[in-house]
Amino acid sequence: MTALDDLPIRDDLRGQRPYGAPQAQVPVALNVNENTHPIPEAVAHDIVASLASAVLTVNRYPDREFTVLREALAGYLGHGVAPEQIWAGNGSNEVLQHILQAFGGPGRSLLGFVPTYSMYPLLAAGVGTTWIPAERDPEFELSPETAARQVKAADPDLVFLCSPNNPTGTPLSLETVAAVYEASRGMVVVDEAYAEFAHDDEASALRLLEGRPRLIVSRTMSKAFAFAGVRLGYLAADPAVVDALRLVRLPYHLSALTQAAATAALRHADEMLAMVDDIRTQRDRLVVELTRLGYDPKRSGANFVLFGGVSDPHAAFEALLARGVLIRDVGIPNHLRVTAGTEAETTAFLEALAAISPA
């Protein structure tokens, strides 16, 4: 059988491993930060009706500019964002890939503050962009001073800021975003995949868009909207940035069915997001209960909690899995990460963890 190394693959891709989380059929899956709440039935019926209508036209290519969807996304975001400032793709990963294709490439660099989303270096490698890992402050925080100092020193072509950060859940202040922008000569991307779960006093970087043409704010419908299977990510930026992304997109990259489903879901944004408060409640419950069990949960503005104090993460992961609970070992020593699920799922996790925890 032919091995990967037997193929004439690019030298810079040799030894790389594809992104992926463990997959297993278990009663309680809390490992990939999905919204584990089902879509409301009435909303699902409207989405199905929209899909049925779209199917009647699939003999034709979809709207290349996804005009209706862009209008809906702009309306949802608010903050004065106009449809011409919106771009979308098949999940936020494709949106980030478009950014790297347009502004990265051989001889260019991308800086991120580690630990952070593990897809960033993989996306960079895919387009021949050098990945620069920068450091965070203690407890995975990121101050304006720490961030700006490293950006100035490295002088990257792009900076990716994950807010709240994945896998740590750490919120990011607008002061840090502004400091990075001022310290950078290149594109600054704020990845707000988990923005809807942020605490009420944590503002979106959408507030900073005006007057900053190199700033991009990316979002997804996979998390708060419980739309992970639909694959719809999007961004807001200066219209000139959107023009740049048109240069690298594939023709008709958003299917008519994706556009129809996402537009229908946005019509019901309030109903779709009604579950967010429940998820935030379970996240905060995790912080309290993990502390009670003797662990060290980190500050989180997302729908998950990273917790330290785990003497053997692999053994704990396997012990939980044996009890039907799947969480995530993200490779940070003595830490594991768990998604905030439904009340029942959260209870199942906490009971399983208590059963395997040292007395």
Side-chain angles (χ1 to χ4, degrees), residues 5 9 16 21 112 125 163-164 168 203 217-218 220 230 271 299 307 319 343:
D5 286 343
I9 192 173
Q16 297 266 1
S163 176
T168 66
V217 180
S218 71
T220 183
V230 174
E271 296 159 82
R299 191 166 75 102
F307 60 100
E343 181 178 5

Side-chain angles (χ1 to χ4, degrees), residues 216-236:
I216 301 172
V217 180
S218 71
R219 292 282 188 97
T220 183
M221 293 184 72
S222 293
K223 308 301 182 182
F225 270 86
F227 242 40
V230 174
R231 312 306 302 130
L232 196 289
Y234 59 102
L235 63 75

Side-chain angles (χ1 to χ4, degrees), residues 156-181:
D157 296 280
L158 300 103
V159 179
F160 278 8
L161 299 168
C162 194
S163 176
N165 186 51
N166 178 18
T168 66
T170 316
L172 187 71
S173 71
L174 295 190
E175 290 77 14
T176 297
V177 176
V180 167
Y181 188 89

Side-chain angles (χ1 to χ4, degrees), residues 196-200 276-284:
E196 286 90 350
F197 301 108
H199 298 279
D200 292 337
V276 166
D277 282 343
D278 291 338
I279 294 168
R280 289 202 270 186
T281 296
Q282 296 308 313
R283 174 198 63 202
D284 296 341

Side-chain angles (χ1 to χ4, degrees), residues 53-306:
S53 178
V55 163
L56 298 175
T57 67
V58 293
N59 59 308
R60 301 287 189 178
Y61 286 116
D63 176 9
R64 188 174 57 240
E65 295 300 318
F66 43 97
T67 307
V68 174
L69 176 57
R70 289 169 77 185
E71 291 172 350
L73 287 168
Y76 168 69
L77 286 180
H79 291 83
V81 173
E84 58 267 25
Q85 293 179 263
I86 297 292
W87 187 251
N90 291 284
S92 59
N93 287 323
E94 184 179 54
V95 169
L96 296 175
Q97 183 180 58
H98 286 166
I99 293 169
L100 282 165
Q101 287 175 316
F103 299 103
R108 296 195 173 194
S109 58
L110 165 65
L111 181 146
F113 295 91
V114 297
T116 192
Y117 184 32
S118 58
M119 270 301 298
Y120 295 160
L122 294 177
L123 289 168
V127 296
T129 303
T130 300
W131 167 248
I132 302 174
E135 297 180 352
R136 291 178 170 269
D137 295 311
E139 294 296 295
F140 310 114
E141 300 289 337
L142 186 59
S143 69
E145 297 77 16
T146 295
R149 182 182 69 251
Q150 294 181 85
V151 169
K152 286 179 180 176
D155 190 30
D157 296 280
L158 300 103
V159 179
F160 278 8
L161 299 168
C162 194
S163 176
N165 186 51
N166 178 18
T168 66
T170 316
L172 187 71
S173 71
L174 295 190
E175 290 77 14
T176 297
V177 176
V180 167
Y181 188 89
E182 293 304 316
S184 175
R185 61 173 174 80
M187 305 303 295
V188 176
V189 180
V190 184
D191 181 356
E192 292 190 341
Y194 301 93
E196 286 90 350
F197 301 108
H199 298 279
D200 292 337
D201 59 349
E202 293 163 0
S204 168
L206 291 167
R207 291 188 180 184
L208 301 179
L209 278 178
E210 187 174 356
R212 293 180 173 89
R214 293 181 289 105
L215 182 63
I216 301 172
V217 180
S218 71
R219 292 282 188 97
T220 183
M221 293 184 72
S222 293
K223 308 301 182 182
F225 270 86
F227 242 40
V230 174
R231 312 306 302 130
L232 196 289
Y234 59 102
L235 63 75
D238 189 276
V241 173
V242 174
D243 285 341
L245 302 182
R246 285 191 178 92
L247 299 175
V248 297
R249 61 112 179 261
L250 293 174
Y252 309 104
H253 70 290
L254 275 183
S255 78
L257 301 183
T258 298
Q259 293 182 42
T263 302
L266 288 162
R267 286 198 298 268
H268 300 274
D270 289 344
E271 296 159 82
M272 294 287 279
L273 298 179
M275 62 195 86
V276 166
D277 282 343
D278 291 338
I279 294 168
R280 289 202 270 186
T281 296
Q282 296 308 313
R283 174 198 63 202
D284 296 341
R285 177 189 173 203
L286 282 169
V287 171
V288 171
E289 293 301 317
L290 285 166
T291 302
R292 186 181 63 80
L293 289 171
Y295 295 97
D296 180 24
K298 304 306 176 184
R299 191 166 75 102
S300 176
N303 69 330
F304 57 85
V305 175
L306 179 78

